[in-house]
Amino acid sequence: MRTAPTAPPGWSLRGLLAALVGLLVLAAAGAPAAAQAAPADGAGQPPGPAVTGLHVQGGRLLEGNGNDFVMRGVNHAHTWYPGQTRSLADIKALGANTVRVVLSNGHRWTRNSPADVAAVIDRCKANRLICVLEVHDTTGYGEEPAAGTLDQAADYWISLMDVLAGQEDYVVVNIGNEPWGNTDPAGWTAPTTAAIKKLRAAGLRHTLMIDAPNWGQDWQGVMRANARSVYEADPTGNLLFSIHMYSVFDTAAEINDYLEAFVDAGLPLVIGEFGGPPDQWGDPDEDTMLAAAERLRLGYLAWSWSGNTDPVLDLAIGFDPDRLSGWGERIFHGVHGIGETSREATVFDGEAPGDTRPPTAPGTPVASAVTAASATLTWPAATDDVGVTGYEVVRVTGDTETRVAASTTPTATLAGLTAGTTYTFAVYARDAAGNRSPRSATVTVTTDEGGGTPGTACSVAYRVVNEWPGGFQGEITLRNTGTAALGGWTLGFTFRDGQTITHMWGGTATLSGAAVSVAPAPYTATVPAGGSVTLGFTGGKGATNTAPTAFTVNGAPCALG
């Protein structure tokens, strides 16, 4: 998690790169133990009690049945947002097979009780997700005064033994998040080894995930150099290392070298957190991270679903799965992303889903506030044995249905309608397990005749996320308010104070003086009816930074907001 600088105070990015080059030289010389070759068949794995469920063998994470399991998922900040109980269902619906859940042992934040942790595990299993549980209070120990120790984190996991017992097929225990800062990171090794031994002595047999020092990024190579000795300290051999990749990892060479060092050594590794949007420390190369993870068959877990203090790393805006940011679109729908590469754990093949009963049909919709271009529908809520999580409104034309809107409440406003036109609409409900209700009765709506200002089929929201002397970070959300998918779009606007764009994700910007033209990336090229895409960028500015006041899509004006 980006809770502190990823480089030591006073260091420049050039200094970091120099340090990393030094690591490459050491690796080439065979200095780090992690770079030493291990037997390809997994020989030399520490002997000990047989493990059940998820386990490590031959440098790979396997399920209990021996099938290879590759994590494809995201992080979710449960401990700070305990009320966001539908998030796991939303994450699963977008294709993830794993979720890493933030917990607290009470040292720095409110302690998650055994009952709460048990409920999290149940929700993971109901949504057919492998659950990685982590204690966040250890973040930045040695540099962050408020951080707790790995020994305290181990005590927390021991207190949860009754909750964790029997969950080895479904749960990975990430002992502590980023458990060492940049101050004397070599001190990471001994407490990490001690925590592993303490948990094994207490009888915990789950796969243990181990985060790197240097705020998780291991830019000084401590975890890489000591990985073999730490791995051999586990009597079960059931250990998985985790590297966090942010702005330290801004070149393909750095990313590929680090990941390949573990693979070549036969040591199990996952990218437990990573980001894509640039920050004041640099611009991570997320495309290489995703491509390398797929090439090497390594797991990855993007940071994070929603709720970040700085929302640049929010995958979903406001915990809304229908409002993915540009970062979210990249992770879920981009090349080598979750939608393209995720495979569900086979442990769920022999299990019935936790919830198979669909909600009841919503009541008959009623139209109000009908204009030439819009209408509001309201309907009696559906009911469900677990809980309704959302609704979708469809336009009905004969035997054809077209999705036109989605809502988490029993009302929706439909925009972009054509004046003087008769429409037929109906509503479906969905629950957390994705079960879809029967269709509601239909309602017929006739829009007013034209004569006023015609409705637009798009809206654009522009905001400045962050500013610093000479530069800023911006975000643009393009929403399709029409009734058909929007594809092949080009967004146009004009800067008012001479601003420039230096880097953009979710699209490609072309500047001609103050005029900006944005073409979509492949994963933002189509905006579904009622949906949106979010673009992010960093740019340059002078003393003032006035927001653009008008936007067009394919030359036609869009509404603001």
Side-chain angles (χ1 to χ4, degrees):
M1 177 187 174
R2 308 307 301 275
T3 57
T6 55
W11 275 56
S12 65
L13 193 58
R14 181 177 296 177
L16 287 177
L17 294 177
L20 288 166
V21 169
L23 290 175
L24 293 176
V25 172
L26 287 173
Q36 298 171 3
D41 61 358
Q45 181 168 294
V51 294
T52 59
L54 289 164
H55 63 282
V56 171
Q57 183 176 335
R60 303 292 303 170
L61 180 63
L62 307 179
E63 295 188 65
N65 60 9
N67 284 346
D68 200 60
F69 180 69
V70 181
M71 293 182 183
R72 289 287 183 265
V74 305
N75 288 262
H76 171 51
H78 169 75
T79 199
W80 303 307
Y81 300 97
Q84 295 293 340
T85 55
R86 62 169 284 180
S87 291
L88 299 190
D90 293 335
I91 291 166
K92 176 63 177 183
L94 286 164
N97 65 18
T98 307
V99 63
R100 181 172 179 256
V101 180
V102 177
L103 301 176
S104 172
N105 66 352
H107 180 84
R108 188 173 180 185
W109 295 285
T110 301
R111 182 184 181 95
N112 293 96
S113 68
D116 182 50
V117 176
V120 168
I121 294 172
D122 286 345
R123 281 194 292 272
C124 284
K125 293 167 67 176
N127 288 288
R128 303 166 79 89
L129 288 164
I130 295 301
C131 202
V132 179
L133 303 176
E134 60 104 339
V135 166
H136 214 78
D137 306 67
T138 58
T139 306
Y141 179 78
E143 186 175 354
E144 169 53 63
T149 67
L150 279 169
D151 188 64
Q152 292 166 334
D155 286 340
Y156 177 69
W157 295 119
I158 292 171
S159 76
L160 294 173
M161 290 284 287
D162 288 345
V163 171
L164 297 172
Q167 304 299 331
E168 290 86 355
D169 277 312
Y170 309 97
V171 173
V172 172
V173 173
N174 191 172
I175 302 178
N177 181 70
E178 300 178 2
W180 212 274
N182 292 319
T183 303
D184 186 28
W188 165 91
T189 305
T192 297
T193 301
I196 294 166
K197 291 181 176 179
K198 186 173 189 175
L199 291 172
R200 294 310 189 204
L204 194 74
R205 292 291 174 257
H206 296 68
T207 299
L208 298 180
M209 185 182 288
I210 307 300
D211 279 12
N214 295 126
W215 300 92
Q217 295 200 87
D218 201 29
W219 61 267
Q220 290 178 291
V222 171
M223 184 172 82
R224 176 172 167 169
N226 293 279
R228 175 65 64 193
S229 63
V230 171
Y231 181 75
E232 290 176 349
D234 182 358
T236 72
N238 196 14
L239 203 66
L240 180 63
F241 294 97
S242 173
I243 182 68
H244 292 184
M245 289 187 161
Y246 292 102
S247 51
V248 166
F249 292 92
D250 58 356
T251 70
E254 294 160 351
I255 294 163
N256 287 320
D257 177 76
Y258 195 94
L259 300 180
E260 289 170 1
F262 278 77
V263 172
D264 291 346
L267 290 167
L269 183 70
V270 64
I271 306 175
E273 285 185 22
F274 67 106
D279 57 27
Q280 60 266 47
W281 296 293
D283 185 1
D285 183 359
E286 68 275 18
D287 290 340
T288 296
M289 296 176 201
L290 292 167
E294 180 63 11
R295 174 174 58 85
L296 298 170
R297 301 297 292 156
L298 299 180
Y300 64 68
L301 303 168
W303 187 274
S304 73
W305 178 240
S306 198
N308 287 285
T309 303
D310 182 349
V312 67
L313 285 171
D314 282 359
L315 296 159
I317 300 168
F319 294 92
D320 185 350
D322 294 322
R323 299 176 62 211
L324 295 182
S325 66
W327 173 227
E329 291 285 351
R330 176 69 187 92
I331 290 301
F332 288 108
H333 303 311
V335 177
H336 305 307
I338 287 173
E340 184 179 290
T341 65
S342 177
R343 300 292 181 270
E344 186 177 83
T346 59
V347 69
F348 297 112
D349 289 349
E351 299 181 2
D355 177 14
T356 59
R357 181 183 300 175
T360 62
T364 303
V366 175
S368 62
V370 179
T371 70
S374 65
T376 297
L377 299 184
T378 304
W379 54 89
T383 60
D384 185 68
D385 59 332
V386 176
V388 173
T389 58
Y391 298 90
E392 59 184 58
V393 180
V394 296
R395 180 183 178 184
V396 181
T397 307
D399 295 330
T400 302
E401 294 180 355
T402 305
R403 185 175 183 269
V404 296
S407 174
T408 57
T409 60
T411 185
T413 297
L414 314 180
L417 305 181
T418 303
T421 303
T422 298
Y423 295 88
T424 300
F425 298 109
V427 182
Y428 289 94
R430 287 191 183 274
D431 63 17
N435 298 310
R436 193 189 201 202
S437 75
R439 196 176 80 184
S440 73
T442 60
V443 61
T444 299
V445 180
T446 301
T447 54
D448 295 343
E449 294 292 338
T453 302
T456 55
C458 58
S459 67
V460 175
Y462 177 99
R463 72 185 186 99
V464 173
V465 175
N466 194 14
E467 290 189 84
W468 54 90
F472 73 108
Q473 180 180 322
E475 181 180 270
I476 303 169
T477 299
L478 169 61
R479 183 170 292 277
N480 178 3
T481 58
T483 58
L486 172 63
W489 54 267
T490 299
L491 175 69
F493 61 93
T494 301
F495 279 129
R496 300 177 63 187
D497 296 320
Q499 298 99 319
T500 59
I501 293 178
T502 55
H503 178 76
M504 174 173 277
W505 53 98
T508 302
T510 303
L511 276 70
S512 178
V516 182
S517 176
V518 179
Y523 55 91
T524 60
T526 300
V527 189
S532 66
V533 295
T534 301
L535 319 174
F537 67 90
T538 54
K541 70 175 184 68
T544 57
N545 190 17
T546 308
T549 57
F551 296 86
T552 63
V553 167
N554 299 336
C558 283
L560 294 177

